[in-house]
Amino acid sequence: MADRDRSKAEVVLRLFGVNLEGQGRGFYVPLEMLAIARGVYLAHQEDPEKFPGLLGNGAATAYKRTSHDLARRIATKARIVEGDEELGKAVELDSPETMETLHALFSSLLVEIPGRRSQPSWFGAHIYPFVGELIHYDAVERRIKQIDASPKKSAKKRKQASKVAAGINAPSIERYLFRDGGSWAYKVLRTDPDPDRKETTRQGLHDLVQDSGTPLGNLAKALSAHDFDYDEAPVEGSDAEVKLYEDLSPWPDLLREGTRNIVTRIATVPRAKRTESLMHWVPYCLARHQLHLARTKLGATNRESILLDFGNEATPLRRESQKNLTGFRNDIVKAINVQAREMIDEAEGDEARKRRYERFTKEAGNAVGSPRAFFSETFAAVGALNATVGRRHFTMKPPMLEGLVSATVPQGTEMEFDQFCALLYEKYGLVVENKVAAASPLAYEVDPSVLDHNGKAFREKLAAIGLLTQYSDATSMVRGEPR
């Protein structure tokens, strides 16, 4: 099984430059990116001489990981395996109200994963990174072994083994739902060839990941001091395997541009809102990058156009948008098939390698299902689709729309509505209204009156979330943050 998983990772990595799996979809991408950024900040705070600061250059990135395993276990009412004596060092146990209050607080801060059918284990629950002190890495549960208590083991291992009996499962910091999407995003920002943009992004990102010093931040920090697992020293993570394919896709640079626009709104947009925009923008860019690379592999010369439906009823536009989505999901599968066939040809006399890649040349089956799910489930999670299941079409729910506008309209500027729609098409291939559609191959598929109606619905949606102002002379202005 491990061999099969490795061959899938090889094909996906060659095609997309990063391991895109359904398991690491949606919000796990920015959670991982922010965990790396926070870890770099902590490592640099600890030893500025030894460890580079945020977005620093170098082959490896040193970062210190926080598990927040105690807060996450309290949030999900999971068993605290260390027992009440240990727990009492972190939480006042004289009154059951303390634990209930902490549970109510931290459970309200968990990231909602759309389409999830059941309450996850504590390690499947992640805390929304509203302030720097809440940002954390991934973790799982691992069995504590008898040998962990032996003198041969590290002081940390012995300390952990002294807290719980052998054979008990306890928290362990490691990748479980993170799948390198965040590593890709951090590398994109770290390798920005524009030094001025990189510096302003660094300053804005620093404001999001540094200690906030707020009461919530102080509480999170106090609890994390009692986590079961922690990094004694920063770990070195290499993103050498991650390829950006900037020569093939515009999306790495669009991610840099949009991220800079989002994070620099320090004076005008609250930290939580900037974080929320980033949480939607970053995974959206990676999913679009995946789609662009798939279509490039298939020889598509025209950039993909996406029909966004903002109406309230089924129309020909909605049917085209549904077809749009189905076509793109198929493109990702076909691109994996083509990539696998290329790798089989490269393997020449190596029959074992050829057999390993054979399963990825077929259009059906689990082998291609997970990377395809990364695309559509990421779109669904961030609100770029109408739903997580059933008949789905492209749209943008308010948080995703806010992220898109914040990423697109530079700070302190505004633009006329028609100009904004033209920019959405020019930069991202997004088709919303009639004037723009005329430039797109989709123009022949949908009646202009339907697109005109869709443009009006889009305008109303922007006004409803406070990003568009209609003036008496019939002009409508879009800006990157609500007044």
Side-chain angles (χ1 to χ4, degrees):
M1 187 66 189
D3 194 50
R4 295 174 73 174
D5 286 347
R6 193 168 70 248
S7 54
K8 175 159 76 172
E10 284 171 19
V11 175
V12 171
L13 196 61
R14 270 285 290 279
L15 177 56
F16 301 121
V18 57
N19 193 12
L20 301 178
E21 296 289 345
Q23 193 175 3
R25 70 196 182 277
F27 293 127
Y28 299 122
V29 176
L31 286 170
E32 182 182 11
M33 184 194 87
L34 288 168
I36 293 169
R38 168 73 178 172
V40 169
Y41 161 81
L42 290 174
H44 184 67
Q45 292 284 104
E46 200 171 277
D47 192 340
E49 294 295 311
K50 188 176 178 184
F51 302 116
L54 265 181
L55 306 186
N57 298 321
T61 300
Y63 51 96
K64 199 163 187 183
R65 301 167 303 176
T66 304
S67 69
H68 263 320
D69 61 62
L70 182 57
R72 292 200 271 166
R73 285 180 289 164
I74 289 170
T76 53
K77 291 196 169 177
R79 181 183 170 207
I80 310 292
V81 292
E82 303 91 308
D84 284 355
E85 194 180 328
E86 275 299 323
L87 183 60
K89 295 173 185 174
V91 177
E92 192 65 62
L93 293 176
D94 295 350
S95 157
E97 280 179 17
T98 309
M99 279 297 275
E100 278 304 319
T101 304
L102 286 173
H103 164 71
L105 172 63
F106 284 104
S107 63
S108 73
L109 294 173
L110 295 179
V111 178
E112 281 188 41
I113 305 298
R116 196 181 251 169
R117 290 181 182 85
S118 58
Q119 168 73 22
S121 310
W122 69 265
F123 49 85
H126 291 68
I127 298 169
Y128 214 98
F130 286 122
V131 292
E133 296 93 334
L134 287 172
I135 297 171
H136 62 87
Y137 200 74
D138 216 355
V140 289
E141 284 189 337
R142 292 282 175 231
R143 186 154 295 171
I144 298 293
K145 303 187 185 88
Q146 219 155 1
I147 196 169
D148 291 339
S150 77
K152 293 177 183 172
K153 292 291 181 178
S154 69
K156 177 180 135 180
K157 277 279 183 201
R158 293 199 306 274
K159 184 181 168 188
Q160 288 176 327
S162 72
K163 290 182 182 179
V164 297
I168 294 282
N169 286 340
S172 168
I173 298 180
E174 53 191 271
R175 281 189 356 173
Y176 168 60
L177 287 162
F178 292 176
R179 282 285 183 269
D180 266 354
S183 190
W184 173 86
Y186 188 79
K187 184 173 185 176
V188 167
L189 299 179
R190 187 174 68 75
T191 57
D192 191 343
D194 180 336
D196 292 341
R197 180 173 64 186
K198 181 176 169 178
E199 178 53 26
T200 51
T201 301
R202 190 197 66 74
Q203 289 170 11
L205 201 55
H206 185 271
D207 186 71
L208 293 182
V209 304
Q210 69 179 340
D211 282 357
S212 67
T214 58
L216 177 59
N218 293 339
L219 173 62
K221 205 169 186 178
L223 281 179
S224 73
H226 298 274
D227 282 338
F228 186 85
D229 200 15
Y230 50 91
D231 278 341
E232 291 175 293
V235 296
E236 287 215 340
S238 172
D239 52 22
E241 266 205 326
V242 173
K243 303 284 184 285
L244 302 185
Y245 293 144
E246 293 181 82
D247 53 331
L248 300 175
S249 165
W251 283 95
D253 213 57
L254 289 170
L255 172 65
R256 291 174 185 135
E257 190 71 24
T259 299
R260 188 268 310 271
N261 286 344
I262 289 168
V263 300
T264 49
R265 298 181 195 275
I266 295 171
T268 52
V269 178
R271 182 192 280 117
K273 185 59 81 177
R274 276 175 279 140
T275 301
E276 188 177 30
S277 289
L278 212 55
M279 288 281 286
H280 289 77
W281 175 246
V282 173
Y284 181 81
C285 288
L286 180 51
R288 288 295 304 271
H289 179 64
Q290 178 193 19
L291 174 62
H292 191 91
L293 290 174
R295 286 171 47 79
T296 302
K297 176 59 74 177
L298 297 175
T301 48
N302 61 327
R303 191 190 50 178
E304 62 275 6
S305 291
I306 289 182
L307 258 180
L308 297 183
D309 175 14
F310 287 99
N312 293 324
E313 62 219 17
T315 62
L317 185 149
R318 180 162 298 180
R319 284 196 295 277
E320 282 305 314
S321 189
Q322 287 164 348
K323 274 165 60 182
N324 218 196
L325 175 61
T326 303
F328 290 154
R329 278 167 55 86
N330 290 341
D331 286 344
I332 286 166
V333 170
K334 286 175 190 163
I336 293 169
N337 301 156
V338 170
Q339 182 66 58
R341 283 195 286 273
E342 285 178 10
M343 289 167 80
I344 286 170
D345 291 343
E346 286 169 18
E348 286 182 352
D350 191 336
E351 293 306 316
R353 260 180 79 198
K354 281 184 175 180
R355 277 196 301 277
R356 264 170 45 202
Y357 300 138
E358 192 66 45
R359 358 186 330 261
F360 306 101
T361 61
K362 299 176 179 65
E363 286 192 23
N366 296 335
V368 291
S370 186
R372 177 182 61 198
F374 176 87
F375 172 74
S376 46
E377 301 319 303
T378 292
F379 260 59
V382 300
L385 294 181
N386 63 309
T388 52
V389 291
R391 300 278 290 164
R392 300 192 289 181
H393 58 265
F394 293 108
T395 186
M396 286 213 173
K397 293 178 181 176
M400 181 66 230
L401 195 50
E402 285 176 3
L404 177 80
V405 177
S406 185
T408 307
V409 183
Q411 188 185 2
T413 64
E414 55 182 11
M415 62 180 68
E416 210 273 317
F417 176 73
D418 286 344
Q419 184 194 353
F420 177 67
C421 290
L423 193 62
L424 290 185
Y425 180 66
E426 189 186 304
K427 286 181 93 146
Y428 317 128
L430 297 174
V431 177
V432 182
E433 46 87 71
N434 193 30
K435 292 191 187 81
V436 165
S440 162
L442 298 168
Y444 310 105
E445 310 296 338
V446 183
D447 187 87
S449 65
V450 175
L451 280 157
D452 197 43
H453 185 72
N454 193 57
K456 288 190 176 83
F458 179 51
R459 189 192 305 249
E460 285 163 15
K461 187 151 272 194
L462 284 171
I465 57 176
L467 298 176
L468 176 139
T469 305
Q470 299 189 350
Y471 293 100
S472 54
D473 62 355
T475 58
S476 303
M477 301 303 288
V478 181
R479 65 190 163 272
E481 65 257 344
R483 279 238 168 92

